[in-house]
Amino acid sequence: MRNLALKIVCLLALCSFTLGDRPAYRLFAADGKTADYDQMLADLAQADVVLFGEQHNDPLAHWLELQVAKDLQRLKGPGKLVLGMEMFERDVQPLVAQYAAGTLPDSAFERQARPWPNYGTDYRPLLQFAQARGIPVIGTNAPRPFAQQVARGSLTALDKLPAADRALLAPLPLKVDYELPGYKNMAAMFGGGAGSPHGGGAQTIIQAQALKDATMAYFIRTSRQPGQTLLHLNGSYHSDHHDGIVAYLRQGAPALKVRTLSVATQAQLDRLAKENVSLADYVVVVPEDMNKTY
């Protein structure tokens, strides 16, 4: 019996060492200090909006999104959680709502709702969870053709849209703050120079990004009721540094309590890299060599 107990202790010690030595992810607060998952969850449950900034091809992020959704639903109780998703555009919202309500079969939904190629592995489990728990699901993104029109021309391409199409977007005309750090980075990436504060050749690309950010923010804000938390999944660039979606949320509803998460890759997980400090309220760090879903 004593030998068996010793074996169990050694086995537990070995497991502890292995898990601690090669963690799948690490969680940090904005200031770079190690964060506790349960404390983070309690904080998120008090928020009006939680923006989970993912890397779209990261399996750990998708797994963690599902865990956060499950835990928020458990903490808040029935009717208090809403799921929002960049991955579905506003024109397919009726299909998203039908699927979440259980009135549209999987095959019809996947055929008609234009899900992303990695939907089956990365997002379907979240929608199935929402369906099973009666959680509303909101597609928040601007329809791609409108964003493409803006990227090719400018926001003026939307001036003559009929009312039915305008209803799929944030209220127009749209004000773009080109001084937001994320948009300034885009200007640098896509051809803006120091002498062109609006991004030079990148101006229309920034406007298309702003249309998406503003549209997601608008439908996040209008899709929740008092006391609810809306958990929104989006690419991290849309919410990093409290930029993008967050800026438009503040513009439309400055009193909203917003919390952000961002997923970042690092070679080492023991500390938060300098460039990832203040990336979000909570930063999920995953290994650089983690497998990708595509």
Side-chain angles (χ1 to χ4, degrees):
M1 191 71 178
R2 182 173 178 273
N3 289 340
L4 177 61
L6 285 173
K7 288 180 180 180
I8 292 173
V9 169
C10 290
L11 180 61
L12 289 174
L14 177 62
C15 290
S16 176
F17 173 80
T18 303
L19 289 172
D21 187 47
R22 301 292 293 174
Y25 76 92
R26 292 287 300 275
L27 182 64
F28 295 92
D31 61 3
K33 295 180 180 178
T34 301
D36 176 80
Y37 178 85
D38 289 335
Q39 291 179 355
M40 177 193 74
L41 195 68
D43 183 28
L44 300 185
Q46 298 302 311
D48 300 315
V49 175
V50 176
L51 300 175
F52 199 127
E54 64 171 44
Q55 304 297 320
H56 296 316
N57 61 355
D58 177 21
L60 267 176
H62 298 304
W63 172 81
L64 194 57
E65 287 165 344
L66 180 59
Q67 307 316 306
V68 169
K70 288 179 176 180
D71 289 334
L72 282 176
Q73 196 272 339
R74 173 178 54 81
L75 281 180
K76 296 191 69 71
K80 296 296 184 180
L81 182 65
V82 180
L83 180 64
M85 302 182 70
E86 174 197 2
M87 299 79 202
F88 294 101
E89 298 164 18
R90 286 303 301 170
D91 60 314
V92 300
Q93 177 55 34
L95 300 174
V96 174
Q98 291 173 43
Y99 184 79
T103 59
L104 185 68
D106 283 6
S107 57
F109 179 73
E110 294 185 33
R111 187 172 62 252
Q112 300 173 39
R114 303 193 307 273
W116 288 8
N118 58 326
Y119 164 77
T121 55
D122 297 346
Y123 303 112
R124 189 168 181 264
L126 274 159
L127 267 71
Q128 289 182 320
F129 168 71
Q131 184 185 87
R133 295 295 189 275
I135 298 170
V137 181
I138 311 298
T140 60
N141 208 353
R144 187 171 301 177
F146 301 141
Q148 290 174 338
Q149 287 179 44
V150 173
R152 294 191 195 105
S154 73
L155 284 167
T156 59
L158 308 178
D159 288 348
K160 296 183 180 180
L161 284 180
D165 287 343
R166 293 171 75 94
L168 302 174
L169 303 169
L172 301 172
L174 185 66
K175 180 181 178 182
V176 181
D177 181 357
Y178 295 95
E179 295 304 310
L180 289 175
Y183 296 166
K184 292 179 76 172
N185 287 340
M186 291 181 70
M189 286 189 291
F190 292 103
S196 51
H198 289 186
Q203 182 173 359
T204 59
I205 297 175
I206 294 169
Q207 289 180 357
Q209 178 83 355
L211 179 67
K212 293 181 178 183
D213 289 338
T215 298
M216 286 190 272
Y218 178 74
F219 288 105
I220 288 170
R221 180 165 55 86
T222 58
S223 298
R224 59 169 297 278
Q225 301 297 319
Q228 290 182 326
T229 294
L230 192 147
L231 172 63
H232 189 264
L233 313 183
N234 52 264
S236 60
Y237 200 85
H238 288 290
S239 55
D240 279 354
H241 300 291
H242 296 88
D243 208 342
I245 296 172
V246 183
Y248 281 103
L249 283 172
R250 287 173 175 162
Q251 189 180 110
L256 278 181
K257 183 176 181 181
V258 180
R259 290 289 182 267
T260 61
L261 290 83
S262 185
V263 178
T265 58
Q266 294 183 184
Q268 302 294 328
L269 305 190
D270 57 336
R271 63 176 58 87
L272 190 61
K274 183 178 179 180
E275 63 269 21
N276 293 326
V277 172
S278 299
L279 195 64
D281 294 309
Y282 299 97
V283 182
V284 180
V285 177
V286 300
E288 285 183 346
D289 58 358
M290 172 56 61
N291 293 340
K292 305 300 181 185
T293 58
Y294 63 88

